[in-house]
Amino acid sequence: MKKRLIRKAALPLLLAGAWALAVLVVGAQSQPLEGREVDLVWSTSDGQRMEIYYAHRLNGVWAEPVRITDDYYDNMYPVIDRDSTGTRWLFWTAYSNGRMELRYTSGRDGTWRESTTLADRMKTNISPSVVIDKEDTVWVAWSANDGGVDDIYVAFKDKNSWSEPAMPHAPNDVPDILPEVGLEDSGNPEVTWQSLQNGALLTLTSRFSGEQWSEPEVSENSEPVESHSETLELPAFVNNTSMVFVRVY
Amino acid sequence: MKRQILIAGISLLLVASYCQAAELPAEKIRIVAFGDSITAGYRSTPYSYYLQQLLDANNCNSTVINEGNPGELTAQGVSRIDDVIAEHRPHYILIMEGANDARSGVSGDVIVSDLARMMDKAIAAGAIPKVSAITPNTESGSEYLPIPEVINPQIQQQAAARSVAYVDNYSALAGPNWASYNIDGLHLSPAGQKVVAQQFFNFIPCGSASGDSGGGGGGCFIATAAYGSILEPQVALLREFRDTYLLTNAAGRKFVELYYAYSPPAADFIRAHQSVKAAARIFLLPLVGLAYLMVKGYGYVLMIGLIIPVLFLVSKKKHKHLSSV
């Protein structure tokens, strides 16, 4: 639940980034934000293209930012989470020549692996979301299409390999966008997204039962009721606040 | 003889009402600026203000209504546009949306699909949509390339497929002057808003003679072609009749749907032939008269106009029957 609340707090920043110099963090923890570990990823220009950068905050001190990508793509919409070993898993969309691929990398103790393409079979793979469960399985959801409108896809990586992407909803002709994958109280993954149906934008949720994704249910757009909320000031080296993702542990 | 009296009575009635309709003052053109924070005018005067100035300076009888909703995604716009059209009943709706989607991780295909839905809704409601390209985004320091490379060309295609005007605000803003046209890489400065206003102004006919008979024509395709402009009072009257008496019931809606499906080719023919235009106007005369009586609350006059000749005929028939007995 804690992870999910923090993730939800990060979304408004993505939507209203241009106006935000700080991010509101809502969570159940009573521990002050000041002492909590924070991962920050963002997309900004290197003067030619959009690249992904990472910064880590420990004990209230930000480390020097690290450049993650350096290629001929525009790299956008980054998200991050960590597993129990402290390994960070970072996903983003790489754009070039009208196509958008889903890419990722992982890193630990300042060393990052070379980026890998997770999904490029379809024309557009966009808006990734990631969460890692207590078994250290990495769950990533994104929206993709191959010429129609977007559907939601989810893939997971256990110790060995990546699963085939699965859709948590039946095939349809309506836009399914902006997925957020999180963990239920039971620890099982769930994915929530927006779907335009009969002219109304609905929030749908599907839960993973261990074998398959449940039939999507319409969710209430309710705010978390927990009382703890704080504002995290973004460091000055973040010069583009339109594509920022913050993970507070 | 009886038939001649009946026809003469109805014709006189309709011609009289047509004469009244023809004397109607030109309707004020309602233009809705529909979009997100760029339309709303985030930290800047919105383009709707400058557009109003341009229209006023050119003596256009128009009013511009700002319906910019900051932070809105196109999917939310699809949900909102029906209410906006119902509230303002615009002649024109200027749709400029998609900037938030692009920066939030919504694909170009979805943006274009949503904008297409908005255009369809506007056309179905009898408004004329003008759809804008998404304006440049340089928030990151680099340009967000999917906008010019993928999204805008698709918006243009969807607009063309519907004969909707595509207003290329991207090209008008991008380039060496972009720095002076934006305030934060996304939102427009007053100078940028003025550019957008001028762009939209170029696509709005000012005055009834200039005509905007192509495309949706406000839904009244044949009347618009016959009278030369959607702004003509007769066209406005027919549109009001449609909104009041046809779109409010299932049978009327079905009729309108069929009319929209089959009338555009006829409208194209009328538009292309000057002599046919005059004939079409004569053909529409009774309809305009009927619309006038109904819309202006003179339905009872129509009833009297119909009942008197019928009573006259019935009485004559009865008299003839009695005489023969």
Side-chain angles (χ1 to χ4, degrees):
Chain A
M1 177 60 88
K2 177 181 68 181
K3 277 184 175 173
R4 191 169 49 151
L5 289 172
I6 292 169
R7 284 187 42 72
K8 284 185 175 176
L11 183 63
L13 184 68
L14 287 169
L15 292 174
W19 306 276
L21 296 175
V23 56
L24 178 70
V25 178
V26 182
Q29 283 201 350
S30 56
Q31 186 184 359
L33 189 59
E34 183 62 28
R36 289 162 70 181
E37 204 173 346
V38 178
D39 276 341
L40 174 65
V41 283
W42 71 101
S43 169
T44 194
S45 173
D46 67 349
Q48 289 185 303
R49 295 172 192 82
M50 296 168 77
E51 305 291 1
I52 305 294
Y53 292 80
Y54 164 80
H56 176 235
R57 195 187 82 161
L58 191 61
N59 299 323
V61 179
W62 287 101
E64 277 295 304
V66 177
R67 178 172 170 157
I68 301 295
T69 58
D70 185 5
D71 53 31
Y72 292 103
Y73 286 74
D74 279 311
N75 298 287
M76 304 174 286
Y77 314 116
V79 289
I80 194 168
D81 200 1
R82 71 173 183 192
D83 63 22
S84 63
T85 69
T87 299
R88 264 67 177 178
W89 293 83
L90 203 168
F91 295 79
W92 68 93
T93 293
Y95 169 82
S96 180
N97 292 323
R99 295 185 71 87
M100 289 181 165
E101 300 176 5
L102 182 63
R103 292 185 176 182
Y104 74 97
T105 185
S106 59
R108 188 177 169 185
D109 300 329
T111 303
W112 293 87
R113 292 194 177 89
E114 196 169 338
S115 71
T116 306
T117 299
L118 178 62
D120 63 354
R121 278 180 290 183
M122 286 192 276
K123 188 182 75 172
T124 299
N125 298 272
I126 196 170
S127 192
S129 172
V130 61
V131 71
I132 299 174
D133 68 18
K134 60 186 177 186
E135 306 295 332
D136 279 347
T137 301
V138 181
W139 296 85
V140 60
W142 71 101
S143 59
N145 80 73
D146 207 10
V149 289
D150 290 14
D151 292 309
I152 304 299
Y153 290 85
V154 187
F156 63 88
K157 183 185 183 302
D158 56 19
K159 299 292 181 197
N160 300 312
S161 59
W162 282 99
S163 70
E164 277 294 308
M167 282 169 58
H169 60 80
N172 58 41
D173 294 328
V174 301
D176 295 285
I177 58 174
L178 301 174
E180 281 188 80
V181 63
L183 298 176
E184 288 187 276
D185 293 343
S186 64
N188 286 333
E190 65 175 11
V191 60
T192 298
W193 70 96
Q194 310 294 311
S195 184
L196 184 63
Q197 298 187 7
N198 300 321
L201 194 60
L202 304 178
T203 301
L204 301 180
T205 299
S206 175
R207 296 173 177 83
F208 193 69
S209 64
E211 291 187 352
Q212 60 185 8
W213 291 94
S214 68
E215 189 72 20
E217 296 173 7
V218 177
S219 309
E220 295 293 325
N221 284 314
S222 58
E223 291 297 316
V225 293
E226 282 77 8
S227 58
H228 182 76
S229 68
E230 281 187 65
T231 300
L232 174 71
E233 295 294 329
L234 293 179
F237 51 70
V238 178
N239 56 5
N240 172 28
T241 57
S242 67
M243 288 188 194
V244 174
F245 183 88
V246 176
R247 175 78 76 183
V248 181
Y249 301 105
Chain B
M1 181 64 182
K2 288 173 286 185
R3 191 189 296 167
Q4 286 167 332
I5 291 170
L6 180 66
I7 291 170
I10 293 174
S11 298
L12 277 172
L13 188 66
L14 294 179
V15 168
S17 46
Y18 166 73
C19 292
Q20 281 187 282
E23 288 167 7
L24 286 172
E27 189 182 17
K28 194 157 195 165
I29 310 163
R30 291 181 298 278
I31 302 165
V32 163
F34 187 89
D36 46 34
S37 56
I38 299 173
T39 296
Y42 173 75
R43 287 171 53 194
S44 179
T45 304
Y47 80 81
S48 57
Y49 173 82
Y50 299 115
L51 178 58
Q52 184 72 67
Q53 282 191 329
L54 283 168
L55 293 162
D56 291 346
N58 287 275
N59 296 317
C60 305
N61 186 25
S62 310
T63 182
V64 185
I65 301 148
N66 191 314
E67 279 288 354
N69 187 20
E72 185 168 84
L73 301 173
T74 52
Q76 294 165 320
V78 172
S79 304
R80 183 169 69 99
I81 198 167
D82 284 335
D83 289 342
V84 168
I85 292 172
E87 181 183 351
H88 301 298
R89 296 178 59 210
H91 298 87
Y92 297 99
I93 182 159
L94 316 179
I95 302 169
M96 187 168 71
E97 203 155 66
N100 288 312
D101 302 67
R103 64 205 296 274
S104 303
V106 178
S107 77
D109 302 279
V110 171
I111 296 170
V112 173
S113 159
D114 290 341
L115 288 171
R117 284 169 204 247
M118 288 186 223
M119 286 186 253
D120 290 340
K121 280 171 177 265
I123 292 167
I128 298 177
K130 311 280 183 187
V131 67
S132 170
I134 299 178
T135 51
N137 182 327
T138 56
E139 286 175 287
S140 74
S142 290
E143 181 165 15
Y144 185 83
L145 290 175
I147 288 175
E149 292 182 356
V150 179
I151 305 172
N152 284 342
Q154 287 187 56
I155 296 173
Q156 189 170 14
Q157 281 178 8
Q158 290 296 323
R162 292 163 174 77
S163 299
V164 168
Y166 171 75
V167 183
D168 192 358
N169 283 315
Y170 177 88
S171 298
L173 293 165
N177 293 326
W178 171 240
S180 65
Y181 290 155
N182 82 90
I183 54 174
D184 55 10
L186 175 73
H187 297 96
L188 302 180
S189 65
Q193 295 278 3
K194 282 181 183 173
V195 170
V196 172
Q198 182 64 55
Q199 285 285 114
F200 276 123
F201 178 74
N202 294 341
F203 285 87
I204 296 170
C206 177
S208 58
S210 54
D212 190 344
S213 49
C220 299
F221 299 102
I222 289 176
T224 307
Y227 289 102
S229 168
I230 189 179
L231 309 176
E232 288 295 328
Q234 293 86 349
V235 182
L237 207 53
L238 290 170
R239 190 171 55 244
E240 199 171 349
F241 176 76
R242 176 204 60 198
D243 293 346
T244 310
Y245 292 100
L246 297 179
L247 294 180
T248 50
N249 60 80
R253 281 193 294 273
K254 188 68 190 170
F255 172 79
V256 171
E257 189 182 312
L258 290 170
Y259 174 76
Y260 285 177
Y262 293 108
S263 65
D268 289 341
F269 183 78
I270 293 167
R271 201 176 299 117
H273 299 83
Q274 198 60 37
S275 56
V276 182
K277 276 188 184 178
R281 284 198 289 269
I282 293 169
F283 172 77
L284 287 169
L285 210 59
L287 212 55
V288 172
L290 173 72
Y292 178 83
L293 292 175
M294 297 300 285
V295 166
K296 299 299 173 189
Y298 299 133
Y300 65 92
V301 177
L302 182 68
M303 291 300 291
I304 293 168
L306 288 172
I307 287 169
I308 287 174
V310 169
L311 287 177
F312 177 73
L313 288 175
V314 169
S315 126
K316 285 285 282 180
K317 195 169 185 179
K318 199 171 177 182
H319 180 71
K320 191 176 179 183
H321 177 70
L322 288 172
S323 302
S324 64
V325 170

